[in-house]
Amino acid sequence: GAGVSQSPSNKVTEKGKDVELRCDPISGHTALYWYRQSLGQGLEFLIYFQGNSAPDKSGLPSDRFSAERTGGSVSTLTIQRTQQEDSAVYLCASSLAVQGGNEQFFGPGTRLTVL
Amino acid sequence: GDSVTQMEGPVTLSEEAFLTINCTYTATGYPSLFWYVQYPGEGLQLLLKATKADDKGSNKGFEATYRKETTSFHLEKGSVQVSDSAVYFCALRDTGFQKLVFGTGTRLLVSP
């Protein structure tokens, strides 16, 4: 089966615009995660979804960032009023269940550039 | 809070050399430990993992042992290949949490 897919692969936007990034997890994976990979901050956790539970939003850097997961599958990360410091690669991952040591499978990422 | 510290790169080696990439961690619970690898132009892939103290994870000739007494999870390979050139990330997932906490990554360059 297919792995985690993300779209678009690259996104260039102007400062102040809103962007939406999409993640399609591996079929059957109940847990979904968003991370951000940037030069200054390395790999940072943003948000995680598990089934129908309330998401863990503890990693979102500001209220300009939000995410939803529809039907327990596809997820969209939205960044409003983008700033230049939002430029990064946004990674999505999914896993079978929330258990210690369970593998998270990562997508190829969306490279966001804010001009 | 939890953190992971890795040796800075790039690490430059000749083919067949021995590799060590150091990783130490700070955690409040009993974390699971991971090494992820990112090959050029590709996404992150799990390389190996260990879920409790003294466990050894191994894959593709790479090994790492979970050392609780030194809070370390150093990555080793006896003989590297050019194809091992990549960025290696050490990570942990602490008890009761689902997020991965990553180190900054170490770039490995292997020359023929």
Side-chain angles (χ1 to χ4, degrees), chain B:
Chain B
D2 295 351
S3 66
V4 175
T5 302
Q6 287 181 239
M7 61 189 292
E8 291 195 16
V11 174
T12 304
L13 295 173
S14 298
E15 203 165 27
E16 299 184 1
F18 184 85
L19 169 72
T20 300
I21 301 178
N22 291 336
C23 171
T24 57
Y25 67 89
T26 302
T28 54
Y30 301 92
S32 296
L33 302 175
F34 306 82
W35 276 101
Y36 278 81
V37 59
Q38 189 171 34
Y39 297 104
E42 299 185 15
L44 276 171
Q45 303 174 26
L46 179 66
L47 181 60
L48 52 84
K49 68 180 182 183
T51 58
K52 61 183 188 296
D54 299 325
D55 271 1
K56 177 185 282 187
S58 61
N59 186 25
K60 299 181 180 180
F62 291 89
E63 294 183 339
T65 300
Y66 188 141
R67 300 288 188 199
K68 187 179 177 183
E69 63 275 15
T70 55
T71 61
S72 64
F73 193 54
H74 303 322
L75 182 68
E76 296 182 336
K77 186 174 186 182
S79 176
V80 293
Q81 306 299 312
V82 173
S83 57
D84 293 328
S85 297
V87 181
Y88 292 82
F89 293 90
C90 186
L92 68 82
R93 182 162 62 198
D94 207 348
T95 312
F97 294 91
Q98 308 315 321
K99 65 178 184 181
L100 288 168
V101 176
F102 286 91
T104 52
T106 302
R107 182 176 299 278
L108 171 64
L109 300 170
V110 181
S111 56

Side-chain angles (χ1 to χ4, degrees), chain A residues 35-57:
Chain A
Y35 294 86
R36 178 170 71 173
Q37 185 175 19
S38 58
L39 280 178
Q41 302 297 324
L43 266 160
E44 308 169 274
F45 166 79
L46 296 177
I47 186 171
Y48 125 81
F49 298 88
Q50 168 56 28
N52 295 322
S53 303
D56 175 358
K57 304 180 182 179

